[in-house]
Amino acid sequence: MIDLNGVRKLRVQDGDLLVVPENTEDQGMQDLVVALGYLMPDANVIIVRGPVEQLDVGEMNSRGWYRA
């Protein structure tokens, strides 16, 4: 289950990065993906189990994320 009070952004738009609390279980992540798929079938959204701040630039680059 996802603690919705810990989700930083609920007004999801195409291209958004959603950061969910780091204690979110895998099933909760899958449920969110399914729900977003129903609500926004053509949207591209990235969901990350937080905190994002722990990734350094090298890790981000290795995963295909590039800082502008």
Side-chain angles (χ1 to χ4, degrees), residues 3-66:
D3 174 11
L4 293 179
N5 293 321
V7 177
R8 293 184 185 176
K9 185 170 185 175
L10 294 175
R11 193 170 262 170
V12 181
Q13 297 178 11
D14 187 40
D16 278 349
L17 170 68
L18 297 180
V19 180
V20 297
E22 61 187 314
N23 64 347
T24 303
E25 297 176 1
D26 290 341
Q27 185 59 50
M29 299 278 288
Q30 290 297 324
D31 292 345
L32 180 56
V33 168
V34 170
L36 288 172
Y38 285 118
L39 295 172
M40 308 169 56
D42 297 325
N44 292 310
V45 177
I46 297 172
I47 304 170
V48 177
R49 202 174 349 225
V52 172
E53 296 78 18
Q54 288 184 349
L55 296 176
D56 65 25
V57 173
E59 284 183 273
M60 289 172 63
N61 290 344
S62 71
R63 296 171 187 191
W65 295 19
Y66 298 94

